[in-house]
Amino acid sequence: MCRASARSAGSLAGLLALLTLAGCSGGSYPMDTLSTGSDYARTIHSVYVMVNWIDLVILLVVIALMFMAIFWFSTRVGEPGEPSLVSSDLRLEVAWTAIPALILVFIAVPTVRAIWRTQPDKWPVKALTVKVVAHQWWWEFQYPKLGIDTADEVHFPVGREIHFELRSADIIHSFWIPAMGGKRDVIPGQVNELTFTPHETGEFYGQCVEFCGTSHANMRFRAFVDTKDGFDRWVKQQQSPPVMPTSGPAAAGAPIFANAPCAICHTVKGISGFSKQYSGKFTGPDLTHFGSRSTLAGGILSNTPRNLAMFIQDPDKVKPGARMPTLGLQGKDLNDLVAYLESLK
């Protein structure tokens, strides 16, 4: 029985060790909070590591004192000795009051410094400004100095400060790119700000982390940190007007898009789009360069013709609560519309 218990305890300890190692393997998971992809994330990570080292030392001290109390200062039946008549010890009481207070001060100093460092009074003038508008349930990204408006995918160059201005078009949301740090609430009628300098190129996952309705969990986005040349190419491509197809299924799909309810909520710059709701913007994502995006439906599906057709056929099934009508398209009409949207690059 004892051997079985020992084996079980050993297995549990091994499992906990594996889980700990898995949790510490930075960069292995899309929403890894231990990544240090920006200066902001590194600052938070340094405080996190320091606090964990302090916690580990405290844990070892407590375990040592516990074993001393069990094996060193204990009195067993039959052993000589009388119970202590001392009811309190002033030195001990001062010690276990003062030591925790000093530990808290030791933790508070770098924590407050990190807060001031990550929330400066003045934002950098030379930073790339990205205006973020949170909608139920998708993200709009505007580059006011570059004339770019996109959705659910944000690009910025490595090594340059990025300044986000965060607004909400409806209710409270929360903006977070775990690998970059800096979770911020997005509140109606208020502009919150966030700045960081990315240090790593690559694709990073973002998510709304404030419950905001039926498809809260489906309110995702991707952040792409590009090289300077890669970002410049992306900007040039986004600033160019879409090339209108002149033949084939894509050309046949253009009038289907223009005559369907799609054009009421979405825009293809210079071609279609009529309804405006927030700050002169359309109620749905800008589709001008939709075909160049890697995801669709708020970042939950890869941007493939099959997934796009499935989303158009039954948007509420793919993304519950999606404010998008079912068009009832089938066969050739559906395929032509999908071809047109995928051609917008």
Side-chain angles (χ1 to χ4, degrees):
M1 184 71 176
C2 293
R3 290 181 180 177
S5 299
R7 284 197 299 269
S8 299
S11 300
L12 179 60
L15 177 60
L16 290 174
L18 287 173
L19 290 174
T20 301
L21 290 173
C24 295
S25 56
S28 300
Y29 302 97
M31 302 293 281
D32 182 11
T33 59
L34 298 180
S35 294
T36 54
S38 72
D39 57 339
Y40 193 119
R42 289 180 181 180
T43 299
I44 301 302
H45 189 264
S46 65
V47 176
Y48 175 82
V49 170
M50 182 204 69
V51 171
N52 275 273
W53 276 113
I54 293 173
D55 290 345
L56 178 61
V57 172
I58 294 172
L59 174 64
L60 295 176
V61 171
V62 170
I63 290 175
L65 292 174
M66 181 185 70
F67 277 100
M68 288 177 64
I70 293 173
F71 298 107
W72 199 312
F73 295 104
S74 62
T75 300
R76 292 167 177 79
V77 177
E79 291 183 356
E82 295 293 333
S84 174
L85 300 177
V86 179
S87 60
S88 63
D89 188 322
L90 181 60
R91 292 171 299 178
L92 282 176
E93 292 182 8
V94 170
W96 66 50
T97 301
I99 292 175
L102 290 174
I103 292 173
L104 291 176
V105 171
F106 191 73
I107 293 174
V109 171
T111 301
V112 172
R113 289 177 61 188
I115 291 172
W116 284 107
R117 189 180 305 162
T118 55
Q119 301 187 63
D121 293 332
K122 294 182 180 180
W123 300 99
V125 177
K126 295 183 179 180
L128 173 65
T129 298
V130 180
K131 293 185 177 181
V132 181
V133 184
H135 303 259
Q136 288 179 304
W137 290 273
W138 60 282
W139 297 92
E140 181 179 2
F141 298 101
Q142 306 168 13
Y143 298 74
K145 293 182 179 180
L146 300 176
I148 295 173
D149 194 336
T150 185
D152 296 324
E153 294 187 4
V154 60
H155 287 249
F156 35 81
V158 67
R160 182 176 177 183
E161 288 181 302
I162 313 300
H163 178 211
F164 291 100
E165 295 180 3
L166 305 160
R167 299 170 172 83
S168 173
D170 35 60
I171 63 175
I172 297 176
H173 301 276
S174 192
F175 179 86
W176 193 30
I177 309 172
M180 298 292 154
K183 186 189 301 180
R184 284 288 189 279
D185 281 349
V186 188
I187 302 170
Q190 178 176 322
V191 179
N192 283 347
E193 297 175 292
L194 169 66
T195 187
F196 58 71
T197 302
H199 295 313
E200 302 175 11
T201 59
E203 178 182 350
F204 302 93
Y205 284 57
Q207 173 76 50
C208 176
V209 285
E210 177 74 29
F211 181 72
C212 55
T214 308
S215 269
H216 159 67
N218 296 323
M219 189 172 171
R220 310 172 197 174
F221 65 95
R222 303 289 174 89
F224 294 88
V225 183
D226 304 318
T227 62
K228 183 181 183 304
D229 290 341
F231 180 73
D232 290 342
R233 286 194 298 271
W234 180 81
V235 169
K236 184 177 180 180
Q237 182 256 342
Q238 292 291 310
Q239 290 175 336
S240 302
V243 178
M244 285 300 297
T246 57
S247 61
I256 296 176
F257 175 85
N259 295 322
C262 308
I264 297 175
C265 298
H266 299 278
T267 182
V268 176
K269 286 189 175 73
I271 299 172
S272 64
F274 307 102
S275 177
K276 297 184 179 181
Q277 178 198 43
Y278 181 80
S279 299
K281 299 299 177 181
F282 295 90
T283 58
D286 188 318
L287 300 181
T288 304
H289 296 285
F290 172 81
S292 67
R293 297 173 193 163
S294 62
T295 63
L296 57 88
I300 65 174
L301 296 175
S302 297
N303 189 359
T304 65
R306 181 177 179 276
N307 286 340
L308 179 57
M310 178 175 62
F311 186 49
I312 291 173
Q313 280 185 306
D314 195 345
D316 201 64
K317 181 179 179 180
V318 174
K319 189 173 183 180
R323 298 173 180 179
M324 181 171 158
T326 301
L327 301 180
L329 297 176
Q330 300 290 335
K332 183 179 182 302
D333 287 345
L334 177 62
N335 293 333
D336 289 348
L337 177 59
V338 168
Y340 168 68
L341 292 173
E342 293 290 0
S343 73
L344 298 173
K345 298 182 179 180

